[in-house]
Amino acid sequence: MRSTLINGTAGRFVSSPEGTALAYGSLLFMALLPIFFGALRSVGCSKSKNASDMPETITSRDAARFPIIASCTLFGLYLFFKIFSQEYINLLLSMYFFVLGILALSHTMSPFMCRVFPANLPNKQYQLLFTQGSGESKEEIVNYEFDTKDLICLGISSVVGVWYILCHWIANNLFGLAFALNGVELLHLNNVSTGCILLGGLFVYDVFWVFGTNVMVTVAKSFEAPIKLVFPQDLLEKGLDASNFAMLGLGDILFCHFFLSFTLSLKKNTRTYFYTSFLAYIFGLGLTIFVMHTFKHAQPALLYLVPACVGFPVLLALFKGELTEMFR
């Protein structure tokens, strides 16, 4: 998952200060939505007694390996774009993310649909069952149960999917937010030390691939997939047909969320650590935008987010005399 913040103004239309402020403010707002609500939902899932709702736990070994895997994936994509036609690669990726986006958006909409679904409408139950063999040797391959509300969510998501295939940035953001919300809901850290290992490794990963090479920026600008949030800086001038985008990788949301959601699950009477980390994230991302706008160069957002998201709650724990307890 790429992690960088890019300004697409180089050599093109120069946006107005109002348009630039609107773009950066919208990216910040969209980044905060899945972090806040995803953290709340992930803690709810972790307390669930249903094993299927339990989030996957990231161990320290997973955290140490992740930056290496991410680097190999990023460089592999870079080579693909250098060797093969960008048009055909993005066509294949569009179809792949078309299916994944519909499923992710349907899952995201499901809790909301349960609240607004009219009580007087019948909610019929359905089952999709695939088996292999016959008699005593029959084996279930797929056994999926769903209802009318799920079908409505799937229908709405399919409309967004068609919109995404037509290459509209709003549909890209809807899918991107759905991916981010599902990611922050379904993955969880097992302790603070694991979060520090993960973010520390990704800190080096992000800085190296953005400042040390042109790999990150090249892939970010070539990769047409909803793994980044985008917002046009020329929206005020060109409306929905705007094309001069600032973008934020979903990695900047997901990776810091893991630490934030863990601070929310710390067994304290208050959510002081979570709110501290949440404000630290706003500060870090705001600082990233400020530096990028000042120097007119793509910035590794984790360069600013990691020290803020880890440093602020650690300093708070040190001030309260709870540092040892936090890491334990």
Side-chain angles (χ1 to χ4, degrees):
M1 196 68 71
R2 288 197 311 278
S3 176
T4 188
L5 201 152
I6 297 175
N7 186 329
T9 60
R12 293 193 289 174
F13 174 83
V14 178
S15 304
S16 65
E18 295 82 4
T20 301
L22 177 62
Y24 291 154
S26 298
L27 285 178
L28 178 60
F29 177 72
M30 286 190 290
L32 296 179
L33 284 177
I35 285 181
F36 188 81
F37 292 106
L40 295 176
R41 288 176 63 171
S42 68
V43 171
C45 289
S46 65
K47 295 178 180 178
S48 173
K49 296 181 180 179
N50 188 349
S52 63
D53 293 334
M54 292 291 290
E56 292 286 335
T57 300
I58 300 174
T59 64
S60 57
R61 184 179 179 183
D62 298 329
R65 287 162 45 184
F66 192 88
I68 300 173
I69 297 172
S71 295
C72 294
T73 303
L74 179 68
F75 190 65
L77 285 170
Y78 176 78
L79 292 179
F80 264 99
F81 281 113
K82 288 296 184 181
I83 297 172
F84 302 103
S85 170
Q86 178 179 329
E87 179 183 354
Y88 293 120
I89 294 175
N90 281 322
L91 179 62
L92 290 173
L93 290 173
S94 294
M95 298 309 297
Y96 176 69
F97 282 102
F98 168 76
V99 176
L100 284 186
I102 289 175
L103 297 176
L105 190 58
S106 297
H107 182 265
T108 302
M109 291 173 56
S110 184
F112 175 75
M113 184 60 65
C114 291
R115 293 187 179 93
V116 302
F117 190 79
N120 58 341
L121 291 180
N123 185 30
K124 296 182 179 180
Q125 303 294 317
Y126 303 92
Q127 184 180 29
L128 183 63
L129 179 64
F130 286 95
T131 61
Q132 177 178 290
S134 61
E136 296 182 356
S137 62
K138 182 182 292 187
E139 180 182 357
E140 287 188 3
I141 300 176
V142 175
N143 187 0
Y144 182 69
E145 296 181 355
F146 55 98
D147 54 26
T148 304
K149 291 179 288 189
D150 296 323
L151 288 177
I152 294 174
C153 292
L154 190 64
I156 296 173
S157 301
S158 298
V159 173
V160 177
V162 173
W163 199 15
Y164 164 71
I165 290 295
L166 297 176
C167 298
H168 203 283
W169 59 273
I170 295 179
N172 174 90
N173 287 346
L174 290 175
F175 275 177
L177 288 171
F179 287 139
L181 191 58
N182 280 278
V184 299
E185 177 184 343
L186 298 176
L187 292 172
H188 199 68
L189 293 175
N190 59 0
N191 55 54
V192 171
S193 298
T194 300
C196 292
I197 293 171
L198 176 67
L199 291 180
L202 290 171
F203 175 89
V204 176
Y205 156 87
D206 209 16
V207 172
F208 172 77
W209 288 112
V210 174
F211 286 153
T213 71
N214 69 336
V215 171
M216 179 78 80
V217 175
T218 300
V219 173
K221 291 184 176 180
S222 304
F223 201 45
E224 298 298 332
I227 60 170
K228 57 191 175 186
L229 300 178
V230 299
F231 200 90
Q233 300 178 75
D234 52 348
L235 179 69
L236 299 179
E237 291 81 10
K238 298 183 180 179
L240 295 179
D241 293 325
S243 57
N244 185 26
F245 294 102
M247 62 185 74
L248 176 68
L250 292 188
D252 300 323
I253 300 173
L254 288 172
F255 301 140
C256 292
H257 148 77
F258 299 141
F259 196 86
L260 267 68
S261 64
F262 186 79
T263 62
L264 181 60
S265 65
L266 290 174
K267 296 180 179 179
K268 297 292 175 187
N269 295 326
T270 67
R271 293 178 173 174
T272 306
Y273 287 105
F274 173 72
Y275 291 132
T276 301
S277 300
F278 191 72
L279 291 175
Y281 181 87
I282 297 174
F283 170 77
L285 192 55
L287 182 60
T288 306
I289 293 172
F290 172 77
V291 174
M292 182 188 67
H293 185 69
T294 301
F295 293 97
K296 308 297 182 185
H297 188 277
Q299 295 296 313
L302 294 182
L303 173 64
Y304 310 95
L305 289 172
V306 170
C309 291
V310 176
F312 280 41
V314 167
L315 288 176
L316 177 63
L318 187 63
F319 176 76
K320 297 176 69 174
E322 298 173 347
L323 185 62
T324 304
E325 183 181 355
M326 170 188 271
F327 278 88
R328 187 172 61 239

